[in-house]
Amino acid sequence: MQLRFLSDAPLRRPVTAATNKVESFNRFSQWLGFGNRGVIADNDPVDQEKAIKFNALLTNAVIFHNALDIAEIVRQLLEEGWEIDAEDLAHISPYLTEHINWFDKYSTHELGIQPEAYDPKLDVDFTPLREQDLAAAGFTAAA
């Protein structure tokens, strides 16, 4: 398998892309879990598991929030007449950190406010990207 991986460029592309996504997620998660430089100093396995799961929960919550913000910006750009295609969106990552301020005052007065219903639909055609992904993975459209 290793020789096939080394000699088969079409096989390496999706594997490398998936590896890069996982590494990006792990870097982002580690960045968010900045306390104690990511070291879990507790010897209790239950507390270790809690620390890991809390960090995963925080990471996923921030990614979700970033994705909502990105979708809202894309909607605004589309309303302004910008043309955005799936290829443009494929290069956007939800692992954004510039807007996160670790050490600041945070307001909790908005916690009880019910948010507006969220529309998950973006008016962008992702079909070409899906077809590229299938072709790269060695699948072809049914004849």
Side-chain angles (χ1 to χ4, degrees), residues 112-129:
I113 298 173
Q114 183 74 22
E116 294 179 22
Y118 178 74
D119 179 11
K121 175 90 171 87
L122 273 180
D123 192 21
V124 177
D125 183 14
F126 290 100
T127 307
L129 281 182

Side-chain angles (χ1 to χ4, degrees), residues 16-56:
T16 301
T19 301
N20 289 342
K21 287 178 185 176
V22 169
E23 289 174 355
S24 294
F25 175 87
N26 288 336
R27 276 191 304 274
F28 182 70
S29 181
Q30 187 176 21
W31 186 87
L32 284 174
F34 68 96
N36 205 23
R37 294 188 178 140
V39 174
I40 301 174
D42 198 328
N43 287 331
D44 181 10
V46 173
D47 288 340
Q48 291 174 348
E49 186 176 5
K50 282 182 191 176
I52 291 168
K53 289 190 178 200
F54 288 147
N55 184 254

Side-chain angles (χ1 to χ4, degrees), residues 84-91 124-129:
I84 298 174
D85 60 15
E87 189 68 35
D88 296 330
L89 295 177
H91 297 285
V124 177
D125 183 14
F126 290 100
T127 307
L129 281 182

Side-chain angles (χ1 to χ4, degrees), residues 86-116:
E87 189 68 35
D88 296 330
L89 295 177
H91 297 285
I92 297 175
S93 170
Y95 306 138
L96 306 172
T97 59
E98 293 82 11
H99 64 292
I100 298 173
N101 188 355
W102 285 335
F103 306 108
D104 202 357
K105 295 177 184 166
Y106 296 95
S107 171
T108 57
H109 74 278
E110 295 178 350
L111 291 178
I113 298 173
Q114 183 74 22
E116 294 179 22

